[in-house]
């Protein structure tokens, strides 16, 4: 499903799948992978094509071309979404915020979503969205959490508009 990503357009010019501004969230999920709960990445559209900003164990926050990112995930399903009902400059600001943290270490066990000392994937997305847009994707602005903010929580956000959906996340 993600291979045709660059051809999908919503017509608004502010989506993560082919608009004119860098924005959006890509959620890849591996099938039949045991406890794997998904992964969240932010899409940034640049003049040289789409790029991904993500937090990975071992790498920390990194940026990689979308083509490389897809090749690294040959068996995964990918949902593409963006934050709905915001201005194009706010969509762009999400990726601009995330790129500030490239090189920051991965830290799954830091459940303070505003602490920038370390990130896991969905924490990077949450903070980038909150900082750029001023609204939490889960409508909870409390940054100190008892448990992590998961990719599935982001995927279920009422603030997302989906551009590509390969099926129900719950059955994957």
């Amino acid at each position: 499903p993600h291979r045709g990503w660059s051809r999908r357009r919503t017509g608004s010019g502010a989506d993560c799948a082919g608009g004119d501004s860098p924005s959006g969230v890509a959620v890849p999920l591996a099938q039949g992978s045991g406890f794997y709960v998904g992964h969240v990445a932010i899409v940034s559209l640049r003049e040289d094509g789409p790029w991904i900003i993500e937090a990975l164990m071992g790498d920390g926050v990194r940026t990689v071309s979308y083509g490389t990112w897809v090749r690294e995930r040959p068996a995964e399903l990918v949902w593409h979404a963006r934050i709905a009902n915001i201005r194009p400059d706010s969509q762009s600001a999400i990726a601009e915020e995330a790129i500030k943290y490239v090189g920051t270490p991965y830290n799954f066990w830091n459940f303070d979503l505003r602490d920038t000392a370390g990130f896991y994937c969905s924490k990077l997305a949450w903070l980038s969205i909150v900082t750029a847009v001023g609204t939490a994707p889960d409508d909870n602005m409390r940054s100190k959490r008892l448990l992590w903010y998961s990719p599935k929580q982001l995927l279920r956000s009422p603030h997302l508009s989906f551009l590509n959906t390969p099926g129900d996340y719950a059955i994957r």
Side-chain angles (χ1 to χ4, degrees), residues 121-167:
C121 66
S122 43
K123 176 183 172 179
L124 176 65
W126 186 93
L127 181 63
S128 298
I129 293 165
V130 167
T131 303
V133 179
T135 302
D138 60 347
D139 293 321
N140 181 355
M141 292 296 285
R142 281 185 320 104
S143 65
K144 294 183 180 177
R145 307 288 178 102
L146 181 60
L147 297 173
W148 68 308
Y149 178 72
S150 73
K152 188 169 186 174
Q153 285 173 280
L154 182 59
L155 188 68
R156 297 290 188 216
S157 171
H159 303 286
L160 291 183
S161 171
F162 287 88
L163 307 168
N164 182 53
T165 277

Side-chain angles (χ1 to χ4, degrees), residues 60-85:
V61 180
R62 73 173 190 160
T63 185
V64 63
S65 74
Y66 186 78
T68 298
W69 188 77
V70 167
R71 283 189 296 280
E72 292 173 349
R73 293 163 173 76
E76 294 180 358
L77 298 174
V78 177
W79 282 252
H80 287 103
R82 64 177 173 169
I83 302 297
N85 302 316

Side-chain angles (χ1 to χ4, degrees), residues 3-170:
R3 296 197 197 295
W5 174 85
S6 62
R7 293 188 306 272
R8 293 189 181 350
R9 294 182 187 269
T10 64
S12 72
D15 60 75
C16 71
D20 297 326
S21 63
S23 59
V25 177
V27 183
L29 301 168
Q31 298 182 37
S33 58
F35 186 68
Y36 185 65
V37 295
H39 177 64
V40 174
I42 297 169
V43 178
S44 174
L45 295 180
R46 303 192 238 183
E47 287 186 22
D48 60 341
W51 283 73
I52 297 292
I53 308 157
E54 64 184 341
L56 290 177
M57 189 181 306
D59 292 333
V61 180
R62 73 173 190 160
T63 185
V64 63
S65 74
Y66 186 78
T68 298
W69 188 77
V70 167
R71 283 189 296 280
E72 292 173 349
R73 293 163 173 76
E76 294 180 358
L77 298 174
V78 177
W79 282 252
H80 287 103
R82 64 177 173 169
I83 302 297
N85 302 316
I86 63 173
R87 296 182 328 264
D89 59 326
S90 293
Q91 291 283 356
S92 300
I94 296 168
E96 291 166 11
E97 183 62 28
I99 202 87
K100 293 177 185 176
Y101 302 108
V102 168
T104 303
Y106 183 90
N107 184 351
F108 176 79
W109 299 107
N110 182 346
F111 299 150
D112 182 348
L113 299 175
R114 289 191 188 269
D115 184 342
T116 61
F119 289 95
Y120 54 89
C121 66
S122 43
K123 176 183 172 179
L124 176 65
W126 186 93
L127 181 63
S128 298
I129 293 165
V130 167
T131 303
V133 179
T135 302
D138 60 347
D139 293 321
N140 181 355
M141 292 296 285
R142 281 185 320 104
S143 65
K144 294 183 180 177
R145 307 288 178 102
L146 181 60
L147 297 173
W148 68 308
Y149 178 72
S150 73
K152 188 169 186 174
Q153 285 173 280
L154 182 59
L155 188 68
R156 297 290 188 216
S157 171
H159 303 286
L160 291 183
S161 171
F162 287 88
L163 307 168
N164 182 53
T165 277
D168 185 3
Y169 179 94

